[in-house]
Amino acid sequence: MSSHLARFFKFLMSPASILLALCSIVFAAAPAFAQSQAQVKVNFKTALVDKDLNVKPVPKFSLVVQKIDATNATETAVSNMPVTTGFDGTATLNLLPGDYVVKSQQALVFEDKTYEWVVAFKVEAGKELVVELSIDNAKVAKTTSLPKRRVTEEAEMFQELRTGVVTVEGELGHGTGFIVDGQGLIFTNQHVVSSSKEIRVEFDRGHKVEAKLLGEDRDKDLAVLWVNLEACPSCKVLTIATPTLEEPTVVEGEKVFTIGSPLSQSKILTAGIVSKVEKGALISDININPGNSGGPLFNGAGQVVGITTFGEQDSSGPGVSGIIRIEEARELLAKAQLVVKSATARPSAELLPTEPEGAFPLDAIKDKIDVKKFETKPYSADVGKYQVTMITPVLKYYVMEKDRIEAARERSKRNKNGGVEVATEGGTIDKFWNLRNWAEYVGQLRPVVQVLAIPEVKATGKSMFLSLLALGAGAAGGVPMMTPLDLKFKADFYEMTLMCDGKPVTPIQRGKIEYVVPMQSYFKVKNRYTYAGVYTYPADAFDPARCKQLELQVFSEENPTIPDRKLLELKKVQKVWSDFDAYRLQQTTPTTPPVAPANP
């Protein structure tokens, strides 16, 4: 054997030769092995057919995919998280070749049945796969549970349209309005803003501005306001319905809805149907409460077709509601748009104070109140011709609780007096209960101070003269007597101002409410009418550390430029401020946030 051949055989038997041979075997087999282990795209498609034979994809449905081991008959999840279908009912997963099973994570409730799936499938190398989950391979069972909750179209539109609806505050009450023009024009009812020196519009909690009255129509009960929408960039301009020859804006029997601020609430959805369509008005069974006035009535397309105006109720049924058709307001809107076009300045976008967040802790009031021993004098002050009361949530609760406890006794007293409680000069009649819409202003325990100014009562000069004349004549004859006095209010309320160290405090709300008292008029009793003032202020306005001196100024209709003035005693201010101790403690005490549910 030659030396070359000997060296060759020696190399074949060496470790290096053996390693090279093994490597060549591995690399030769690698392409085939890699091909068998390549992942395959598997598409899961979940869909059902409804009662009308329409195919309905199942969105956001969770599936669990498991790999089957044939040797020991076990199933292993291929992922720690379930596979979730998209809005089209499909999901995609890349899997290695092998045997698998897909299961529904939980039962699906559809119409009146439940559906569950356990579907086996095989993944082969290089073959894309579609696994369908349908009624054909589902386990189907009748369901006795309640059907799945459905959100109505009105509720869906409410979320979009609510930013175009506002709360309108006039001095005689509040109502609703809605934005109809990008320049900031707002429709409402004329009676909502009637006789108001100042009008305010609240977009939402924390965003309130002053509004300007641009036009009104008393006969149609319509008014147009103007605000600066820079204060609410997210506010939406609502679409006014326009009739065509083919389609009217609304038809009888059509479902309609409104968004309003009834009963001191904010932006409440109310639905109903149109009962009758007339030339200038719509009649509907929709429920209109105080505060809904001036709100938009929407048709099924979310377009404004009317302005809610009044509701009529009696003991025989829920009554009906009257709505002004939006066509009746177009002329007034056009005039207002011309005024805006020629205006040199827009209304102010400065935000006005709003009610603070949170509710007053009722339990703290209950612990503090003793109806039999509670003193009301620290809350009262005489300001010229007016009796002023500073109403805190504590005093408010006392008044309501006292009325509840003494209701039977008071009814008995009124019955003994023939059903009439007569006011006399210097009498102690409870003035709160003669305020007609008291509840609208102070019926809730809100964390604010409401300053109530009620004109005092006096006898007329004529009746005093006649009474003294009769007294003198009677004394001369040996039988002294006085004729009955004719009682009336000393003044009519116009407005008031709270001054903090010489600077006016901007109120949260300015209000005037009708005050009616049956009073003696010579030989008979008659009702006397006037207005009382009720202004809402933040509690901080009565912080002794913030305001060293608080002065209240009350103006009358008879003399609207020269007020009656009164410096509030420090002990009264401190009493008002101390009533909010529990509320301030509640606001500064951290609370544990609620735990979110697993499946909200």
Side-chain angles (χ1 to χ4, degrees):
M1 181 181 301
S2 68
S3 61
H4 292 290
L5 187 60
R7 284 197 297 271
F8 175 73
F9 278 108
K10 186 177 181 181
F11 169 76
L12 289 179
M13 301 304 296
S14 68
S17 174
I18 295 173
L19 179 60
L20 180 61
L22 290 175
C23 289
S24 62
I25 295 173
V26 170
F27 285 122
F33 178 79
Q35 183 177 3
S36 67
Q37 294 302 309
Q39 290 187 331
V40 178
K41 184 179 180 180
V42 179
N43 300 294
F44 299 95
K45 183 178 180 180
T46 309
L48 293 172
V49 178
D50 64 13
K51 295 178 180 178
D52 298 323
L53 302 181
N54 297 312
V55 178
K56 298 290 185 180
V58 181
K60 301 301 178 183
F61 189 60
S62 297
L63 303 172
V64 177
V65 180
Q66 296 175 328
K67 183 174 177 57
I68 301 174
D69 189 340
T71 58
N72 53 16
T74 60
E75 298 175 354
T76 305
V78 299
S79 173
N80 293 328
M81 298 293 291
V83 181
T84 304
T85 60
F87 287 104
D88 59 353
T90 65
T92 301
L93 196 64
N94 293 321
L95 298 174
L96 294 171
D99 295 317
Y100 294 86
V101 63
V102 58
K103 303 177 182 180
S104 50
Q105 190 178 41
Q106 58 186 14
L108 171 67
V109 179
F110 181 70
E111 293 183 340
D112 58 348
K113 297 182 178 66
T114 61
Y115 298 82
E116 293 182 275
W117 285 274
V118 179
V119 178
F121 62 96
K122 185 179 184 65
V123 177
E124 297 181 2
K127 294 182 179 181
E128 188 173 324
L129 182 65
V130 176
V131 179
E132 293 189 355
L133 304 181
S134 65
I135 191 173
D136 296 330
N137 55 7
K139 179 182 177 182
V140 185
K142 284 278 187 179
T143 177
T144 56
S145 61
L146 293 175
K148 185 178 180 181
R149 183 180 65 196
R150 295 182 179 179
V151 178
T152 64
E153 292 182 0
E154 292 82 7
E156 292 177 346
M157 286 190 284
F158 169 71
Q159 301 300 325
E160 178 184 354
L161 300 173
R162 61 187 300 179
T163 60
V165 182
V166 300
T167 300
V168 179
E169 295 178 359
E171 290 183 325
L172 298 181
H174 85 275
T176 305
F178 56 99
I179 303 170
V180 293
D181 184 277
Q183 295 295 318
L185 296 182
I186 291 174
F187 269 140
T188 189
N189 282 142
Q190 191 274 337
H191 75 262
V192 172
V193 297
S194 174
S195 304
S196 294
K197 181 183 177 182
E198 181 182 270
I199 303 170
R200 299 181 178 188
V201 165
E202 183 171 276
F203 303 113
D204 53 41
R205 183 178 289 275
H207 294 83
K208 182 192 294 187
V209 296
E210 190 171 342
K212 182 178 180 180
L213 178 64
L214 283 194
E216 57 185 333
D217 187 327
R218 294 179 181 271
D219 294 334
K220 295 179 180 179
D221 197 8
L222 294 173
V224 180
L225 310 178
W226 187 21
V227 299
N228 193 329
L229 288 182
E230 287 183 1
C232 185
S234 62
C235 281
K236 179 181 179 66
V237 177
L238 300 184
T239 302
I240 295 178
T242 303
T244 63
L245 293 176
E246 296 80 16
E247 187 175 5
T249 59
V250 65
V251 296
E252 292 176 357
E254 182 174 352
K255 196 170 184 180
V256 291
F257 66 98
T258 185
I259 303 172
S261 305
L263 305 175
S264 299
Q265 300 300 312
S266 178
K267 300 191 180 182
I268 301 298
L269 174 68
T270 309
I273 62 169
V274 173
S275 306
K276 189 175 182 181
V277 177
E278 297 183 344
K279 181 179 180 181
L282 304 172
I283 305 299
S284 172
D285 66 345
I286 201 166
N287 190 18
I288 297 179
N289 287 301
N292 269 120
S293 296
L297 187 78
F298 297 97
N299 61 14
Q303 301 168 333
V304 180
V305 296
I307 303 173
T308 58
T309 304
F310 68 87
E312 289 186 352
Q313 288 182 304
D314 56 36
S315 58
S316 62
V320 295
S321 298
I323 298 102
I324 302 171
R325 293 192 66 169
I326 196 64
E327 289 86 348
E328 297 294 302
R330 290 187 180 277
E331 183 179 351
L332 189 62
L333 176 60
K335 292 180 180 179
Q337 289 172 330
L338 289 176
V339 174
V340 170
K341 189 175 181 180
S342 61
T344 57
R346 291 190 296 171
S348 172
E350 179 183 358
L351 294 179
L352 299 174
T354 57
E355 287 191 10
E357 296 283 352
F360 201 95
L362 182 58
D363 291 340
I365 300 180
K366 291 180 179 180
D367 295 339
K368 194 172 185 178
I369 287 289
D370 184 341
V371 175
K372 294 182 179 179
K373 299 180 181 180
F374 191 82
E375 286 289 335
T376 60
K377 288 183 179 180
Y379 300 92
S380 300
D382 289 325
V383 183
K385 299 177 285 294
Y386 302 87
Q387 183 179 5
V388 173
T389 305
M390 294 166 285
I391 306 168
T392 68
V394 175
L395 176 62
K396 202 179 304 179
Y397 179 83
Y398 160 75
V399 173
M400 293 186 290
E401 185 69 4
K402 176 176 176 288
D403 179 67
R404 183 185 69 80
I405 293 174
E406 298 182 353
R409 187 190 312 168
E410 292 298 321
R411 281 195 297 268
S412 175
K413 185 189 297 184
R414 286 194 294 270
N415 290 336
K416 290 179 181 178
N417 292 336
V420 177
E421 193 169 351
V422 179
T424 59
E425 188 172 14
T428 58
I429 186 170
D430 191 345
K431 294 178 172 58
F432 290 140
W433 306 117
N434 292 303
L435 297 171
R436 287 195 170 185
N437 48 348
W438 160 265
E440 182 178 345
Y441 287 93
V442 293
Q444 300 180 27
L445 298 178
R446 297 176 285 176
V448 294
V449 180
Q450 283 150 327
V451 179
L452 175 67
I454 297 179
E456 292 183 345
V457 175
K458 71 175 182 178
T460 63
K462 180 180 178 181
S463 68
M464 287 288 292
F465 172 75
L466 293 176
S467 183
L468 291 173
L469 186 64
L471 179 62
V479 186
M481 60 175 291
M482 292 186 67
T483 60
L485 298 175
D486 181 21
L487 302 177
K488 71 173 187 178
F489 293 108
K490 291 183 178 180
D492 292 312
F493 177 85
Y494 179 64
E495 66 175 345
M496 62 179 157
T497 304
L498 182 66
M499 306 292 290
C500 170
D501 297 333
K503 297 180 180 179
V505 179
T506 304
I508 295 173
Q509 186 174 0
R510 300 160 54 104
K512 291 167 67 175
I513 47 183
E514 194 175 52
Y515 183 47
V516 185
V517 178
M519 291 190 289
Q520 182 70 51
S521 177
Y522 294 108
F523 294 99
K524 64 180 180 179
V525 174
K526 63 185 296 185
N527 284 340
R528 296 285 190 181
Y529 296 82
T530 189
Y531 282 111
V534 54
Y535 282 34
T536 303
Y537 290 95
D540 290 349
F542 290 80
D543 181 357
R546 178 182 176 185
C547 289
K548 305 300 181 183
Q549 191 177 72
L550 276 178
E551 181 187 55
L552 194 61
Q553 301 177 358
V554 185
F555 299 80
S556 67
E557 289 278 2
E558 295 76 13
N559 195 345
T561 58
I562 302 177
D564 290 328
R565 301 171 178 266
K566 177 77 172 185
L567 289 176
L568 299 179
E569 299 176 32
L570 179 59
K571 62 181 180 180
K572 293 182 182 292
V573 176
Q574 290 173 334
K575 176 61 178 173
V576 170
W577 179 243
S578 66
D579 277 0
F580 290 88
D581 288 345
Y583 174 74
R584 288 192 293 272
L585 180 62
Q586 175 184 269
Q587 296 301 107
T588 56
T589 302
T591 57
T592 303
V595 178
N599 294 303

